[in-house]
Amino acid sequence: MTSQVSRTTEQADGTVVGEQRRPGGVKAVRRLDRVIIRFAGDSGDGMQLTGDRFTSETASFGNDLSTLPNFPAEIRAPAGTLPGVSSFQLHFADHDILTPGDAPNVLVAMNPAALKANIGDLPRGAEIIVNTDEFSKRAMQKVGYDASPLEDGSLDGYSLHPVPLTTLTVEALKEFDLTRKEAERSKNMFALGLLSWMYHRPTEGTERFLKQKFARRPEVMNANLAAFRAGWNFGETTEDFAVSYEIAPATTAFPVGTYRNISGNLALAYGLVTASHQADLPLFLGSYPITPASDILHELSKHKNFGVRTFQAEDEIAGIGAALGAAFGGSLAVTTTSGPGVALKAETVGLAVSLELPLLVVDIQRGGPSTGLPTKTEQADLLQAMYGRNGEAPVPVIAPRTPADCFDAALEAARIALTYRTPVMLLSDGYLANGSEPWRIPELEELPDLRVQFAQGPNHTLDDGTEVFWPYKRDPGTLARPWAIPGTPGLEHRIGGIEKQDGTGNISYDPANHDFMVRTRQAKIDGIDVPDIEVDDPDGARTLVLGWGSTYGPITAAVRRLRRADEAIAQAHLRHLNPFPRNLGAVLGRYDKVVIPEMNLGQLATLIRAKYLVDAHSYNQVNGMPFKAEQLAEALKEAIHD
């Protein structure tokens, strides 16, 4: 066995670096504790697939990870242009991490547009792998390069690796009966193979994926496999890549269990199926395709074997109408959409409030108003979820905080809807929906029992002794009305949107009755049992940072940075936004200053100020991207010392 030389250092950003160099010309292996990689190219270059495959292998290796897919709204954006750049960022580590990372350590740029669109995010010293074949004069001029950035010295502060990816891919596939254009399509697999070599990623899963995906097209399957292997071999043999990297599995980051990588939309879909099983009710989804919610419809349509029925409606209104009808019929009913669809569904949500039927309204938020930014993220639908209906129509609102947490949020939304007979708004967003992280698959005994009891017969006795069914006679604990399945003998009752008489459900225009029903519906929502908010405050801080939804990761990462710098700051995060946890007012009152970061112009802050008379400080961002941890840390530090 040959001897080896080892050394370990710590970089300025805290990254631990170890290096092993073996004699005899064998390449060095450097150990890192984390790395951030961004794949970028045209929307037709397969960057999302490349990133997804690299992520899957990283998850199987056991690293903690967080991803940020970022792509144009157009199905096929103009090739070679800045608006057409698609990227996929992956942060993986040997320890617990919370965000996709602020700045990439490695950029894979498939063309000049990809380089120009992303170079501003790279720190000095980052590695850049560029596909030199695409740096033609015309391609560079299209994005505003007067001279080649590969030759004019503008990239001298980076570790540049010029690689003719297209040429190498075509050369690797010359034995296949493919045109040059067909061969070029596999260059993303060549890049994936190269990066897999650089970071010691497993390859078996990707090869198995390619064999399954292209099983009916063996020539395409074999070409992609060959390109992937050629990329790996290129890294092993070329002199330009003298070092490969190891990031050990995150063995201490997770509790014991079985894990898989999961995106927010997939976790939410699995949560809905699980809620259906735990409630012993069929699941019905009435939905109209809309970015970024469509993946839930796609996923649920695969699970008919679990009693799932999916209906792709002709529009948003038909989707929620069908779902509400399914709720009336005894199903766990769901409709999925994004912000513009919530606006269209508002009237039917109000009808569900009046009918007092369980209905899950899932809003995967995106940038607005109107069509806005379909593929970018935002948290700007909170006030719409709270108040976006005519009349007094209160609706519970909950929000998951991470991609994996979308599973638990779906179960919680179902619990509230079924227990209290009410529509529930679940506010995810594009960042959570498309991002992914490891998820521990729960054991069956950990899941809540969501079974409900349908009305079976009369529930009220009239003064003359007659037993009748009153559809609006309420449970004294929850104020929920009985759920009567159509066709059950003796349970016939009126249904509709006009105000009901208390108890009987008959149409009523009586002012006193309307006042009573409005206050009763509000009391039902106010009385929902939600857990107290938990506060993370190990140092007795005077400043509290309060968040909701997908800001959890960046806020927590920022808080960790501040505490490492001996700054005292407390953190609390809201899942339940209506009703708020009962101890929230007391928690807010303990701190001199409350800071609320949001990807909107201060919607939660507005609610907090109004309800608790707290001078909450807003920190806002509406650029279609999640917060960066460093950015938040600086803002919170200023708040502490202001």
Side-chain angles (χ1 to χ4, degrees):
M1 180 180 291
T2 59
S3 62
Q4 62 185 30
V5 178
S6 300
R7 66 180 182 183
T8 301
T9 60
E10 184 170 335
Q11 296 181 335
D13 65 356
T15 301
V16 177
V17 178
E19 186 172 303
Q20 296 178 342
R21 185 176 298 275
R22 296 178 175 86
V26 179
K27 294 184 177 183
V29 178
R30 187 172 298 168
R31 295 192 305 274
L32 305 175
D33 71 341
R34 64 184 179 88
V35 72
I36 304 167
I37 299 174
R38 184 181 296 177
F39 299 92
D42 273 334
S43 58
D45 282 340
M47 294 296 94
Q48 302 304 319
L49 174 62
T50 304
D52 184 67
R53 288 313 316 157
F54 195 94
T55 300
S56 294
E57 297 296 0
T58 297
S60 68
F61 187 72
N63 296 117
D64 194 10
L65 61 89
S66 180
T67 68
L68 178 62
N70 187 15
F71 40 86
E74 293 83 358
I75 294 174
R76 186 66 173 93
T81 64
L82 293 175
V85 172
S86 175
S87 67
F88 188 104
Q89 183 164 306
L90 166 67
H91 182 193
F92 62 103
D94 65 1
H95 58 277
D96 175 34
I97 58 174
L98 296 153
T99 74
D102 290 354
N105 307 113
V106 182
L107 172 67
V108 180
M110 303 298 280
N111 59 21
L115 177 63
K116 187 158 191 176
N118 293 282
I119 189 66
D121 293 336
L122 269 64
R124 289 293 177 176
E127 293 193 76
I128 304 175
I129 301 171
V130 295
N131 180 14
T132 56
D133 289 325
E134 297 298 322
F135 278 71
S136 65
K137 184 176 181 180
R138 180 183 178 188
M140 289 186 289
Q141 289 177 341
K142 188 181 290 188
V143 296
Y145 281 128
D146 296 325
S148 173
L150 309 183
E151 301 170 356
D152 65 2
S154 61
L155 301 179
D156 286 351
Y158 305 95
S159 177
L160 181 64
H161 301 280
V163 180
L165 287 172
T166 306
T167 298
L168 290 170
T169 302
V170 171
E171 179 66 21
L173 303 184
K174 63 182 180 180
E175 65 182 84
F176 297 93
D177 186 21
L178 300 171
T179 66
R180 179 179 177 85
K181 186 175 182 179
E182 290 171 334
E184 288 177 357
R185 291 174 182 164
S186 297
K187 63 181 181 289
N188 65 322
M189 287 297 105
F190 189 100
L192 177 59
L194 173 58
L195 269 293
S196 297
W197 172 83
M198 283 183 65
Y199 290 95
H200 296 213
R201 299 298 90 185
T203 61
E204 295 81 3
T206 294
E207 294 202 2
R208 185 166 55 250
F209 168 82
L210 292 172
K211 290 174 182 177
Q212 293 173 349
K213 182 176 179 63
F214 299 111
R216 297 183 180 180
R217 301 183 64 188
E219 72 284 357
V220 176
M221 175 188 70
N222 291 327
N224 277 285
L225 285 170
F228 177 65
R229 293 164 181 165
W232 177 283
N233 293 333
F234 177 76
E236 183 71 27
T237 57
T238 184
E239 295 181 1
D240 191 43
F241 293 91
V243 178
S244 64
Y245 303 91
E246 285 184 349
I247 297 90
T251 53
T252 61
F254 309 116
V256 175
T258 302
Y259 287 80
R260 59 156 293 166
N261 182 50
I262 200 164
S263 68
N265 273 350
L266 183 58
L268 210 156
Y270 285 176
L272 293 173
V273 174
T274 303
S276 167
H277 179 271
Q278 293 302 106
D280 196 21
L281 296 174
L283 178 66
F284 180 91
L285 173 70
S287 183
Y288 180 75
I290 183 171
T291 301
S294 299
D295 286 341
I296 302 172
L297 170 61
H298 300 159
E299 182 61 34
L300 289 180
S301 67
K302 302 174 185 177
H303 298 294
K304 296 180 179 63
N305 57 313
F306 289 115
V308 178
R309 290 172 291 173
T310 53
F311 169 56
Q312 181 173 319
E314 64 270 28
D315 56 42
E316 295 281 5
I317 299 171
I320 190 173
L324 185 56
F328 179 58
S331 292
L332 176 59
V334 185
T335 188
T336 52
T337 189
S338 191
V342 174
L344 291 167
K345 295 178 189 293
E347 183 177 4
T348 308
V349 174
L351 177 60
V353 171
S354 175
L355 300 181
E356 300 190 45
L357 287 171
L359 174 67
L360 304 188
V361 182
V362 177
D363 177 8
I364 312 298
Q365 301 166 95
R366 70 190 203 189
S370 188
T371 308
L373 305 174
T375 59
K376 309 301 180 183
T377 195
E378 206 163 274
Q379 285 184 298
D381 292 348
L382 175 56
L383 293 183
Q384 179 178 217
M386 288 284 290
Y387 303 120
R389 293 163 296 283
N390 66 296
E392 295 288 344
V395 168
V397 181
I398 69 170
R401 63 187 189 178
T402 69
D405 188 47
C406 289
F407 177 87
D408 295 316
L411 287 170
E412 176 65 356
R415 178 191 73 85
I416 292 173
L418 295 171
T419 302
Y420 296 91
R421 311 287 197 267
T422 178
V424 176
M425 286 277 189
L426 192 158
L427 296 182
S428 179
D429 61 44
Y431 173 37
L432 297 184
N434 297 317
S436 63
E437 66 175 351
W439 170 58
R440 187 181 72 84
I441 301 172
E443 301 295 332
L444 286 177
E445 57 269 19
E446 298 172 1
L447 300 173
D449 184 352
L450 301 178
R451 287 173 294 181
V452 297
Q453 183 65 48
F454 292 116
Q456 300 296 323
N459 62 355
H460 183 75
T461 304
L462 299 176
D463 292 341
D464 63 2
T466 305
E467 292 187 338
V468 296
F469 174 68
W470 275 14
Y472 282 84
K473 185 168 184 176
R474 301 180 183 278
D475 181 292
T478 64
L479 297 182
R481 79 174 186 90
W483 193 0
I485 301 299
T488 306
L491 302 190
E492 297 85 354
H493 60 280
R494 291 180 178 86
I495 203 79
I498 299 178
E499 184 63 279
K500 287 92 180 145
Q501 185 183 51
D502 178 40
T504 68
N506 295 332
I507 292 174
S508 173
Y509 292 96
D510 177 64
N513 177 80
H514 176 62
D515 183 274
F516 177 81
M517 293 294 280
V518 166
R519 294 179 186 276
T520 300
R521 287 188 289 260
Q522 183 65 57
K524 181 174 69 170
I525 303 306
D526 292 341
I528 291 174
D529 181 26
V530 303
D532 283 349
I533 191 168
E534 297 181 357
V535 183
D536 176 19
D537 184 7
D539 304 312
R542 298 174 61 189
T543 299
L544 171 72
V545 54
L546 178 68
W548 70 278
S550 67
T551 58
Y552 174 78
I555 288 174
T556 306
V559 166
R560 288 180 180 180
R561 292 188 184 202
L562 290 171
R563 289 176 180 168
R564 285 198 297 267
D566 295 325
E567 299 283 359
I569 188 166
Q571 178 187 1
H573 206 79
L574 286 166
R575 162 172 283 178
H576 297 86
L577 297 154
N578 192 33
F580 286 130
R582 285 168 176 74
N583 69 329
L584 180 57
V587 166
L588 296 173
R590 297 206 301 261
Y591 294 92
D592 296 339
K593 188 174 297 182
V594 177
V595 183
I596 304 179
E598 297 181 80
M599 293 187 294
N600 57 48
L601 295 182
Q603 296 188 15
L604 175 62
T606 297
L607 297 174
I608 293 295
R609 291 188 190 110
K611 185 172 180 64
Y612 299 106
L613 303 180
V614 170
D615 185 20
H617 297 258
S618 284
Y619 183 73
N620 308 117
Q621 172 178 297
V622 280
N623 61 4
M625 298 294 288
F627 284 110
K628 293 182 177 180
E630 181 179 4
Q631 161 197 2
L632 268 181
E634 287 297 320
L636 295 175
K637 184 176 180 180
E638 289 181 10
I640 292 171
H641 296 286
D642 184 10

